[in-house]
Amino acid sequence: MKTTPSSSLLPFAFVLLMSLHSIASADAQENFLQCLLQNSDNSTTSISKVIYTQNNSSYSSILDFTIQNRRFLTSATPKPQVIVKPLQVSHIQSVIFCSQLHGMQVRVRSGGHDYEGLSYISHVPYVVIDLINLRSISIDVEKTTAWIQAGATIGELYHKIADTNGTLGFPAGVCPSVGVGGHFSGGGYGILLRKYGLAADHVVDAHLIDVKGRLLDRKSMGEDLFWAIRGGGGASFGVIVAWKVELVTVPSTVTVCSSLRSLKQNLTQLVHRWQFVADTFDEDLVTGVFLSSVNASTGGNRTVIASFESVFLGGVDGVIPLMQKSFPELGLVEKECTETSWVRAVLHHARFPIEASLDVLLNRSPVTKRFYKAKSDYVREPMPEIAFEGMFELFNEKEGGNAEIMLVPYGGKMSEILESAIPFPHRAGNIYKMSPVVYWYEEGSETAERHINWIRKLHSFLTPFVSKNPRASYINYRDIDIGANKIRGYTSYKQASIWGRKYFRNNFDRLVVVKTMVDPHNFFRNEQSIPSLSSWRKQKDD
């Protein structure tokens, strides 16, 4: 075919255009770096010592270290132009100032557990503020409070508490490598939720750097912003650098019980019955259920098992009578229980040996990283047995072989706290939270698609049986499937409401008002950040 002069120029024009774009991007990055160096307080540590670009030999290892989900450890995953690991507040202030000046988005990473990777991934030029160096923990035993920097992990907090006092605890999660920066800002729950509620319910002060670079505490930020960051997702409002929390009292003896039941042991009927009592137990007792698929002992087939995991704030002589009274169908016996301490009960639920060294709580990165996709739902009416039977059928599919479903009971303190007390709204009326997750180990987009489609199919199947109008979800189990903001440009209130009301119900409106007040131009944004009405109106006017 004859090539015309104009068509022959097209490849050259494309290459030229891409070259100019690369030069412009490089110039923008260089200008950004120069801005950091010129606008940072270097009286203690120069910011140059904590800046990493893609030309640094340690860039990849730093970026990958706390990425927990292998879905985002691929060559196709967007990478930040710059990573900054601040050693002091002024380093963060410089990043915020220079990012606005040079058109860079900011992502803030505490522990790297964001289910959709939004704490370290963006599709536009961006910088990651990695808080790993800001992780000090100071405990005041007399006042039963603690100041915790946002780069600390839950495990580091628990280790510090256990070192300090045997009768203090904190109602956060059980995965020790989760960072407190994101965990507390989304709510945060664990084995003490029926006794004490959420981690965010016990935050009494915070230090936050706002869009203007100001370091604010509770008094200077005001009660509206302080309300918003405790369960509304802190990344929408600024950079949280520290939390002050009230610790809680735990007994010296805590009992954990593990009761494995199979389909042959009336598993379906047991889980169905559990729904009617799980949120009515004494608040000192939490009994959750973990459903999974395992190889059957014969025939090479798979079957479903349930692990009923109980934690009781007291001795075994207290939990057995409670279970016999409220849930005799389970048939809990003493040999299924172990008396231990609160912090070792956390170890048990984190799937460590209960006698393991507490130093395992200090590990920030798991030995084995997996691919996974997770979702969440809330159940307000007991599901029929046919619902569980349908779930178990899906477990028999190939992709369901590495799936788990966690059923977390509510009630107790969770029902006593008002829905509007903090942005986290899932309180009275919820029997339990359901959290399915599917894992896989093979690389490749086709394998990922199969497993993601499997959990979406499960999610669709559960529609008739879970909460409605809206179908509620948990912000810390982030799920882009339920809705997302625009990657570029401005997102309307209506569009953001699609996912916002699922996470926050009626509290979403107040979050939007706070966002508009403190970050009117929507600088702190991601695919599921609270939108600013001011920025949307400005776009509309333009």
mmCIF file of all heavy atoms in Angstrom, residues 488-508:
data_model
loop_
_atom_site.group_PDB
_atom_site.id
_atom_site.type_symbol
_atom_site.label_atom_id
_atom_site.label_comp_id
_atom_site.label_asym_id
_atom_site.label_seq_id
_atom_site.Cartn_x
_atom_site.Cartn_y
_atom_site.Cartn_z
ATOM 1 N N ARG A 488 -9.792 12.166 37.110
ATOM 2 C CA ARG A 488 -9.406 13.547 36.799
ATOM 3 C C ARG A 488 -10.647 14.426 36.832
ATOM 4 O O ARG A 488 -11.752 13.965 36.580
ATOM 5 C CB ARG A 488 -8.740 13.627 35.420
ATOM 6 C CG ARG A 488 -7.373 12.951 35.372
ATOM 7 C CD ARG A 488 -6.807 12.956 33.965
ATOM 8 N NE ARG A 488 -5.454 12.397 33.933
ATOM 9 C CZ ARG A 488 -5.199 11.091 33.884
ATOM 10 N NH1 ARG A 488 -6.203 10.227 33.866
ATOM 11 N NH2 ARG A 488 -3.945 10.657 33.864
ATOM 12 N N GLY A 489 -10.450 15.666 37.113
ATOM 13 C CA GLY A 489 -11.583 16.582 37.155
ATOM 14 C C GLY A 489 -12.309 16.504 38.481
ATOM 15 O O GLY A 489 -11.807 15.959 39.462
ATOM 16 N N TYR A 490 -13.513 17.033 38.499
ATOM 17 C CA TYR A 490 -14.280 17.168 39.731
ATOM 18 C C TYR A 490 -15.434 16.176 39.772
ATOM 19 O O TYR A 490 -16.077 15.907 38.764
ATOM 20 C CB TYR A 490 -14.793 18.604 39.870
ATOM 21 C CG TYR A 490 -13.678 19.606 40.033
ATOM 22 C CD1 TYR A 490 -13.118 20.239 38.929
ATOM 23 C CD2 TYR A 490 -13.143 19.876 41.289
ATOM 24 C CE1 TYR A 490 -12.074 21.135 39.077
ATOM 25 C CE2 TYR A 490 -12.100 20.768 41.444
ATOM 26 C CZ TYR A 490 -11.567 21.398 40.334
ATOM 27 O OH TYR A 490 -10.528 22.279 40.484
ATOM 28 N N THR A 491 -15.667 15.652 40.936
ATOM 29 C CA THR A 491 -16.738 14.682 41.148
ATOM 30 C C THR A 491 -17.907 15.364 41.826
ATOM 31 O O THR A 491 -17.731 16.061 42.830
ATOM 32 C CB THR A 491 -16.237 13.507 42.014
ATOM 33 O OG1 THR A 491 -15.168 12.848 41.335
ATOM 34 C CG2 THR A 491 -17.355 12.515 42.288
ATOM 35 N N SER A 492 -19.105 15.151 41.312
ATOM 36 C CA SER A 492 -20.290 15.779 41.881
ATOM 37 C C SER A 492 -20.689 15.103 43.186
ATOM 38 O O SER A 492 -20.336 13.950 43.451
ATOM 39 C CB SER A 492 -21.459 15.702 40.896
ATOM 40 O OG SER A 492 -21.905 14.367 40.764
ATOM 41 N N TYR A 493 -21.429 15.843 43.970
ATOM 42 C CA TYR A 493 -21.983 15.292 45.210
ATOM 43 C C TYR A 493 -22.821 14.060 44.905
ATOM 44 O O TYR A 493 -22.757 13.055 45.607
ATOM 45 C CB TYR A 493 -22.831 16.374 45.890
ATOM 46 C CG TYR A 493 -23.734 15.876 46.986
ATOM 47 C CD1 TYR A 493 -23.264 15.694 48.275
ATOM 48 C CD2 TYR A 493 -25.081 15.591 46.724
ATOM 49 C CE1 TYR A 493 -24.094 15.238 49.287
ATOM 50 C CE2 TYR A 493 -25.917 15.133 47.717
ATOM 51 C CZ TYR A 493 -25.425 14.958 48.996
ATOM 52 O OH TYR A 493 -26.261 14.499 49.992
ATOM 53 N N LYS A 494 -23.611 14.127 43.832
ATOM 54 C CA LYS A 494 -24.490 13.010 43.466
ATOM 55 C C LYS A 494 -23.681 11.760 43.157
ATOM 56 O O LYS A 494 -24.018 10.659 43.605
ATOM 57 C CB LYS A 494 -25.352 13.403 42.260
ATOM 58 C CG LYS A 494 -26.334 12.320 41.826
ATOM 59 C CD LYS A 494 -27.180 12.794 40.655
ATOM 60 C CE LYS A 494 -28.164 11.712 40.214
ATOM 61 N NZ LYS A 494 -28.991 12.155 39.055
ATOM 62 N N GLN A 495 -22.609 11.914 42.388
ATOM 63 C CA GLN A 495 -21.790 10.754 42.030
ATOM 64 C C GLN A 495 -21.102 10.172 43.257
ATOM 65 O O GLN A 495 -21.065 8.951 43.446
ATOM 66 C CB GLN A 495 -20.747 11.134 40.986
ATOM 67 C CG GLN A 495 -19.875 9.962 40.542
ATOM 68 C CD GLN A 495 -18.870 10.345 39.469
ATOM 69 O OE1 GLN A 495 -18.987 11.393 38.851
ATOM 70 N NE2 GLN A 495 -17.874 9.507 39.238
ATOM 71 N N ALA A 496 -20.555 11.028 44.107
ATOM 72 C CA ALA A 496 -19.868 10.541 45.306
ATOM 73 C C ALA A 496 -20.844 9.906 46.289
ATOM 74 O O ALA A 496 -20.459 9.026 47.068
ATOM 75 C CB ALA A 496 -19.110 11.678 45.972
ATOM 76 N N SER A 497 -22.098 10.344 46.269
ATOM 77 C CA SER A 497 -23.102 9.781 47.172
ATOM 78 C C SER A 497 -23.327 8.294 46.913
ATOM 79 O O SER A 497 -23.755 7.567 47.815
ATOM 80 C CB SER A 497 -24.431 10.523 47.022
ATOM 81 O OG SER A 497 -24.309 11.866 47.430
ATOM 82 N N ILE A 498 -23.061 7.844 45.702
ATOM 83 C CA ILE A 498 -23.294 6.437 45.360
ATOM 84 C C ILE A 498 -22.505 5.534 46.296
ATOM 85 O O ILE A 498 -23.040 4.561 46.836
ATOM 86 C CB ILE A 498 -22.905 6.178 43.884
ATOM 87 C CG1 ILE A 498 -23.834 6.955 42.947
ATOM 88 C CG2 ILE A 498 -22.955 4.680 43.566
ATOM 89 C CD1 ILE A 498 -23.396 6.924 41.497
ATOM 90 N N TRP A 499 -21.223 5.849 46.483
ATOM 91 C CA TRP A 499 -20.432 5.044 47.417
ATOM 92 C C TRP A 499 -20.457 5.637 48.827
ATOM 93 O O TRP A 499 -20.379 4.898 49.816
ATOM 94 C CB TRP A 499 -18.979 4.921 46.933
ATOM 95 C CG TRP A 499 -18.266 6.228 46.767
ATOM 96 C CD1 TRP A 499 -18.111 6.948 45.618
ATOM 97 C CD2 TRP A 499 -17.622 6.993 47.803
ATOM 98 N NE1 TRP A 499 -17.414 8.107 45.861
ATOM 99 C CE2 TRP A 499 -17.092 8.158 47.187
ATOM 100 C CE3 TRP A 499 -17.437 6.808 49.168
ATOM 101 C CZ2 TRP A 499 -16.397 9.132 47.911
ATOM 102 C CZ3 TRP A 499 -16.743 7.777 49.881
ATOM 103 C CH2 TRP A 499 -16.230 8.917 49.259
ATOM 104 N N GLY A 500 -20.584 6.969 48.927
ATOM 105 C CA GLY A 500 -20.479 7.628 50.225
ATOM 106 C C GLY A 500 -21.550 7.207 51.209
ATOM 107 O O GLY A 500 -21.282 7.019 52.401
ATOM 108 N N ARG A 501 -22.774 7.047 50.732
ATOM 109 C CA ARG A 501 -23.850 6.662 51.650
ATOM 110 C C ARG A 501 -23.750 5.191 52.062
ATOM 111 O O ARG A 501 -24.270 4.808 53.108
ATOM 112 C CB ARG A 501 -25.216 6.951 51.024
ATOM 113 C CG ARG A 501 -25.469 8.439 50.858
ATOM 114 C CD ARG A 501 -26.939 8.784 50.662
ATOM 115 N NE ARG A 501 -27.099 10.226 50.539
ATOM 116 C CZ ARG A 501 -27.139 11.071 51.558
ATOM 117 N NH1 ARG A 501 -27.023 10.607 52.789
ATOM 118 N NH2 ARG A 501 -27.284 12.371 51.349
ATOM 119 N N LYS A 502 -23.087 4.402 51.287
ATOM 120 C CA LYS A 502 -22.898 2.998 51.673
ATOM 121 C C LYS A 502 -21.906 2.883 52.830
ATOM 122 O O LYS A 502 -22.073 2.044 53.710
ATOM 123 C CB LYS A 502 -22.416 2.193 50.463
ATOM 124 C CG LYS A 502 -23.461 2.098 49.368
ATOM 125 C CD LYS A 502 -22.913 1.473 48.094
ATOM 126 C CE LYS A 502 -23.978 1.488 46.997
ATOM 127 N NZ LYS A 502 -23.446 0.996 45.699
ATOM 128 N N TYR A 503 -20.916 3.733 52.820
ATOM 129 C CA TYR A 503 -19.952 3.733 53.919
ATOM 130 C C TYR A 503 -20.460 4.503 55.143
ATOM 131 O O TYR A 503 -20.233 4.086 56.283
ATOM 132 C CB TYR A 503 -18.647 4.393 53.480
ATOM 133 C CG TYR A 503 -17.795 3.600 52.519
ATOM 134 C CD1 TYR A 503 -17.094 4.246 51.512
ATOM 135 C CD2 TYR A 503 -17.658 2.220 52.627
ATOM 136 C CE1 TYR A 503 -16.285 3.548 50.625
ATOM 137 C CE2 TYR A 503 -16.862 1.507 51.746
ATOM 138 C CZ TYR A 503 -16.175 2.177 50.749
ATOM 139 O OH TYR A 503 -15.364 1.471 49.886
ATOM 140 N N PHE A 504 -21.127 5.637 54.908
ATOM 141 C CA PHE A 504 -21.397 6.582 55.993
ATOM 142 C C PHE A 504 -22.876 6.868 56.233
ATOM 143 O O PHE A 504 -23.198 7.616 57.149
ATOM 144 C CB PHE A 504 -20.678 7.913 55.691
ATOM 145 C CG PHE A 504 -19.215 7.765 55.431
ATOM 146 C CD1 PHE A 504 -18.670 8.060 54.188
ATOM 147 C CD2 PHE A 504 -18.362 7.312 56.424
ATOM 148 C CE1 PHE A 504 -17.326 7.920 53.942
ATOM 149 C CE2 PHE A 504 -17.006 7.162 56.192
ATOM 150 C CZ PHE A 504 -16.482 7.464 54.950
ATOM 151 N N ARG A 505 -23.747 6.310 55.435
ATOM 152 C CA ARG A 505 -25.189 6.548 55.535
ATOM 153 C C ARG A 505 -25.460 8.062 55.617
ATOM 154 O O ARG A 505 -24.926 8.838 54.847
ATOM 155 C CB ARG A 505 -25.761 5.775 56.731
ATOM 156 C CG ARG A 505 -25.675 4.243 56.536
ATOM 157 C CD ARG A 505 -26.131 3.459 57.751
ATOM 158 N NE ARG A 505 -27.518 3.750 58.099
ATOM 159 C CZ ARG A 505 -28.573 3.118 57.584
ATOM 160 N NH1 ARG A 505 -28.411 2.170 56.692
ATOM 161 N NH2 ARG A 505 -29.792 3.426 57.978
ATOM 162 N N ASN A 506 -26.280 8.493 56.559
ATOM 163 C CA ASN A 506 -26.653 9.911 56.628
ATOM 164 C C ASN A 506 -25.506 10.816 57.072
ATOM 165 O O ASN A 506 -25.573 12.041 56.906
ATOM 166 C CB ASN A 506 -27.848 10.094 57.568
ATOM 167 C CG ASN A 506 -29.107 9.462 57.014
ATOM 168 O OD1 ASN A 506 -29.278 9.357 55.805
ATOM 169 N ND2 ASN A 506 -29.997 9.009 57.896
ATOM 170 N N ASN A 507 -24.458 10.234 57.630
ATOM 171 C CA ASN A 507 -23.303 11.040 58.037
ATOM 172 C C ASN A 507 -22.520 11.583 56.842
ATOM 173 O O ASN A 507 -21.678 12.479 57.002
ATOM 174 C CB ASN A 507 -22.357 10.204 58.909
ATOM 175 C CG ASN A 507 -22.982 9.871 60.259
ATOM 176 O OD1 ASN A 507 -23.839 10.603 60.752
ATOM 177 N ND2 ASN A 507 -22.572 8.761 60.846
ATOM 178 N N PHE A 508 -22.779 11.048 55.648
ATOM 179 C CA PHE A 508 -22.064 11.513 54.458
ATOM 180 C C PHE A 508 -22.284 13.006 54.234
ATOM 181 O O PHE A 508 -21.341 13.726 53.883
ATOM 182 C CB PHE A 508 -22.520 10.712 53.239
ATOM 183 C CG PHE A 508 -21.862 11.133 51.956
ATOM 184 C CD1 PHE A 508 -20.514 10.890 51.739
ATOM 185 C CD2 PHE A 508 -22.586 11.783 50.969
ATOM 186 C CE1 PHE A 508 -19.898 11.282 50.552
ATOM 187 C CE2 PHE A 508 -21.977 12.175 49.785
ATOM 188 C CZ PHE A 508 -20.635 11.921 49.576
#
